[in-house]
Amino acid sequence: MTGHMKKERYTKSDFLSLISDSANKFKLLNKNSFIKIIGHIDCDGISSTSIIVKALEREDFRFSVMNVKQLDKNILDEILKDDFDVLFFLDLGSENIKDIEKKTNKTVFILDHHRFESSETKITVVNPTIFDLEYREISSSGVCYLFAKCLNEGNKDLAHLALAGAMGDMQEKNGFIGLNSLILKDAEEILDVNIGPRFFGMQTRPINKVLEYCTDPFIPNVTGSSEGAIKFLDDLGINARESNGNFKKLIELDEEDIKKITSGIIINRLNEENPEDIFGNHYILKEEENGTPLKDLKEFATLLNAVGRFGKTSLGISLCLKNEEAKKESMEVLSSYKSEIVEMLTWFNENKDSFMSNGKIIINAKDNIKDTMIGTLASIITKSKLYEDGTVIFAMAHKENDEIKISARVSGNSDFDLRSALKDVVLKIGDYPCGGHKSACGASIPKDKEEEFIKAISEINTILQ
Ligand code: C5P
C-alpha cells in the first residue's frame, strides 16, 4: 500500500486488495526495467525469492538476486550502488523503509511479514502486520505467492513454496490457518495431506533416531534417550530392523507396525495431559521420490533453512525451482547442518545449568556457536519444552566481525511482546539493527556492548500484568 496508515481492524479482503493493487502497479512497469531482488537467507526468504524469480521469469523481466542475513545501513548502501530500475525486498525491508526512501527514488516493492512502525510512504509495502493479521496466517512467501498469482494464475504451481516458507517460520501447528489455508487449497494438486504421528524425519531418518529426537510429542523414557528409543522399539516386537541390524525408516514399515508404535507411544504417555495428542498433518509432495527430504514439506523447509544457514541460498533457490543437480549438493549441506546441530546441542547440554538469570535464559555462546546457527539453537530450545511457557530466551554468538548476533524467543504460548522489549533495550545502547516478530526476533550489536546488553536484558520485566 502506498501512503498506508495502520488499519484499526483486520479484514482479509483489505489485505487481498492491497496485494492485487500492488500487482497492478507492477504490471505498469516498462518490460525493459531491470529488477534487483533482495531476499532474506532463511527458509521463508529463500521460498519468497524463488517464487518471485519464477514469476519474473514468466513475465520476461531481467533481474538479479541477492540474499542477505539482515538489511543494515551498510548493506543497503552496497545494494544501492548497483544499476537497477526496480528493487524488490523479500522477507525483509519493512524496518528499513525510511532509510530506503531517503537513499533512493527508484521504484521499490517490499513483500514482507516482519513487524514495523507504519507511516506514510511512497514505497509499495505489502505486509500483513499493517492489518494486524495473526502471525500464523501468512508468511512472506505467502505474500509473494499471492502477489505472483495476481500477475499470472499459472503461478499457482508455486503454492507449495509458500507453504514451505510458512513452515520454516513455524506457522503450521496441526494445520494452517487464515490465508495459509487458502494457499493450501491452491496446492491440492501438488500435495497430499496425510494425518499421521507428528514425527519429524519420517522420510529420511532411522526410526530410533526419529523417536529419540522427538520433543513434540514428548515420549517419556524415549525422547532424548538413545538406549530408551532402541529398547522401546525392540520391546514392541515389530519388524523395525534391516537385515544388518540397523533400524528402518518409518516410511519403510508396514501399517500394522506403525499402529503398534503409535499405540505404544500413547501408552507411554498415559501420565501426560493429552496422551493421544500425537498426530498431525504431513504435507507430501506428489511428484517427489519417497525417502528424500524433498518429499515431506516439513523436511523440505528444514533443508531450505540448512542451505540458508550455510550461506548457500542460490542452492536453495535452485532446489525450489526443481534443479536436479541441486538436490545432490543439498544433501551434503543437510548432513553438515545436522552435525552442527548435534554439536550445538551437546554444548548447550553441557552448559545449560548456567543460563538461568532472573527468570530468563541468557545463552552467551560467544565463539562456541556460529552466528548463523544461534537462531536455530534458540528455536530448538523454545520448542523443547525444557522451560515453562512464557520463558524468554536470549541467545548470543560472536560474528566474524566486531559484532554479536542476538536471537530472542519466547517459549510456548505467550502474549509477551519480545520484539518491542528487545527493541527498547537495543535502542538504549545505540542505533543497531533489530527486528522480527512478537515472539521471535533478533538484533546485532557491537562486541564492546556485550556487558551492557546482558545487564539490560536481565532487568527486563517479562511478567505480563
Ligand atoms: O536471526 P533470528 O532467527 O534470531 O531472527 C528471528 C526473526 O527476527 C527473523 O524473522 C528475522 O528476520 C528477524 N530479525 C530482524 N532483524 C534483525 C534480526 C532478526 O528482523 N536484525
Side-chain angles (χ1 to χ4, degrees):
M1 183 188 284
T2 306
H4 62 79
M5 295 296 284
K6 192 120 180 161
K7 289 263 175 185
E8 288 307 317
R9 210 161 41 84
Y10 140 60
T11 67
K12 200 158 55 191
S13 62
D14 279 345
F15 186 55
L16 291 173
S17 308
L18 166 61
I19 297 176
S20 85
D21 289 352
S22 308
N24 286 339
K25 214 175 284 174
F26 178 86
K27 286 180 192 164
L28 299 175
L29 290 178
N30 183 323
K31 284 276 177 181
N32 290 323
S33 305
F34 185 78
I35 300 176
K36 189 167 172 69
I37 304 171
I38 317 293
H40 191 216
I41 60 154
D42 70 2
C43 168
D44 194 26
I46 295 173
S47 305
S48 299
T49 310
S50 306
I51 291 168
I52 294 300
V53 161
K54 194 71 199 173
L56 295 188
E57 254 176 36
R58 286 176 170 160
E59 299 301 308
D60 267 338
F61 274 97
R62 291 173 309 128
F63 56 87
S64 68
V65 180
M66 180 180 174
N67 288 82
V68 295
K69 277 188 212 171
Q70 68 182 41
L71 198 59
D72 61 25
K73 291 196 169 92
N74 296 337
I75 295 172
L76 188 58
D77 287 340
E78 280 303 307
I79 292 166
L80 297 178
K81 272 187 203 156
D82 294 342
D83 203 15
F84 59 86
D85 305 296
V86 179
L87 265 177
F88 263 84
F89 289 101
L90 308 178
D91 195 36
L92 39 67
S94 302
E95 284 274 0
N96 314 79
I97 292 174
K98 285 201 181 110
D99 257 351
I100 299 170
E101 204 162 39
K102 217 186 302 163
K103 291 181 176 174
T104 182
N105 50 20
K106 301 274 172 71
T107 306
V108 179
F109 289 82
I110 296 180
L111 310 185
D112 189 16
H113 73 141
H114 290 90
R115 287 183 176 269
F116 68 112
E117 277 71 45
S118 175
S119 61
E120 291 291 327
T121 176
K122 59 181 187 338
I123 291 178
T124 306
V125 187
V126 191
N127 185 323
T129 66
I130 301 169
F131 297 87
D132 286 332
L133 265 79
E134 243 185 74
Y135 173 72
R136 284 186 52 222
E137 290 192 53
I138 191 162
S139 65
S140 298
S141 315
V143 175
C144 292
Y145 168 74
L146 294 174
F147 180 91
K149 207 174 104 175
C150 287
L151 299 183
N152 177 348
E153 271 288 313
N155 288 323
K156 264 176 89 170
D157 63 354
L158 306 172
H160 61 297
L161 297 179
L163 299 174
M167 283 196 169
D169 271 5
M170 292 188 262
Q171 295 186 346
E172 199 274 350
K173 275 188 195 153
N174 289 342
F176 286 108
I177 62 163
L179 291 167
N180 278 333
S181 58
L182 291 183
I183 298 174
L184 179 61
K185 283 213 176 80
D186 281 356
E188 262 169 9
E189 280 176 29
I190 314 169
L191 289 170
D192 283 322
V193 184
N194 301 339
I195 294 181
R198 215 164 46 236
F199 297 148
F200 180 81
M202 286 172 63
Q203 295 286 333
T204 53
R205 287 185 183 169
I207 175 71
N208 58 321
K209 288 291 158 197
V210 167
L211 297 183
E212 178 187 340
Y213 294 135
C214 189
T215 52
D216 174 30
F218 177 79
I219 316 169
N221 306 318
V222 173
T223 299
S225 163
S226 149
E227 302 82 40
I230 293 172
K231 183 172 182 317
F232 171 80
L233 287 167
D234 285 342
D235 287 355
L236 288 176
I238 57 173
N239 184 18
R241 290 188 190 253
E242 314 259 15
S243 49
N244 62 7
N246 291 340
F247 281 97
K248 295 178 184 171
K249 296 174 190 168
L250 226 125
I251 48 153
E252 292 165 344
L253 300 187
D254 63 35
E255 268 196 32
E256 271 313 302
D257 283 350
I258 295 180
K259 269 193 201 145
K260 282 185 190 157
I261 293 176
T262 50
S263 33
I265 292 174
I266 294 171
I267 291 167
N268 258 34
R269 285 170 44 89
L270 282 178
N271 290 332
E272 301 289 309
E273 211 169 297
N274 296 305
E276 65 298 324
D277 177 20
I278 68 163
F279 298 98
N281 292 345
H282 290 272
Y283 304 87
I284 303 298
L285 285 154
K286 294 182 192 182
E287 250 189 23
E288 290 297 336
E289 224 177 283
N290 257 332
T292 79
L294 300 153
K295 185 74 180 167
D296 180 323
L297 211 55
K298 207 167 255 173
E299 293 196 48
F300 183 56
T302 302
L303 181 58
L304 292 184
N305 261 324
V307 295
R309 302 279 170 188
F310 275 70
K312 300 203 171 215
T313 44
S314 52
L315 182 63
I317 297 167
S318 306
L319 268 180
C320 290
L321 303 181
K322 300 188 177 164
N323 175 321
E324 286 299 320
E325 283 296 302
K327 290 186 183 174
K328 216 172 107 219
E329 192 184 340
S330 66
M331 296 310 128
E332 288 157 24
V333 178
L334 186 62
S335 117
S336 314
Y337 180 68
K338 284 182 184 165
S339 313
E340 288 236 9
I341 290 182
V342 171
E343 261 179 53
M344 198 161 75
L345 290 177
T346 308
W347 179 86
F348 172 79
N349 281 320
E350 282 168 0
N351 294 281
K352 69 170 180 287
D353 294 340
S354 60
F355 297 141
M356 180 63 90
S357 162
N358 202 12
K360 291 155 213 99
I361 303 300
I362 301 177
I363 304 165
N364 189 0
K366 295 188 185 256
D367 291 317
N368 291 296
I369 290 174
K370 279 194 191 139
D371 65 296
T372 46
M373 294 295 291
I374 195 76
T376 307
L377 176 69
S379 297
I380 293 175
I381 297 167
T382 312
K383 282 188 285 175
S384 70
K385 305 214 160 122
L386 204 57
Y387 304 110
E388 64 183 51
D389 273 16
T391 307
V392 171
I393 294 156
F394 293 97
M396 304 161 63
H398 288 178
K399 293 194 191 182
E400 276 167 9
N401 58 12
D402 278 336
E403 289 174 344
I404 297 175
K405 161 85 185 115
I406 296 145
S407 284
R409 305 284 188 272
V410 186
S411 70
N413 288 324
S414 166
D415 283 331
F416 183 68
D417 189 348
L418 182 56
R419 174 186 169 273
S420 73
L422 180 66
K423 229 177 162 57
D424 287 348
V425 167
V426 172
L427 269 180
K428 260 186 232 154
I429 292 177
D431 182 15
Y432 304 116
C434 174
H437 315 284
K438 221 167 102 183
S439 52
C441 49
S444 277
I445 57 166
K447 274 186 194 153
D448 60 12
K449 302 280 181 183
E450 187 166 11
E451 289 310 314
E452 195 181 335
F453 176 76
I454 292 176
K455 186 168 180 297
I457 50 174
S458 316
E459 286 163 6
I460 294 177
N461 178 11
T462 55
I463 312 293
L464 289 172
Q465 301 306 318

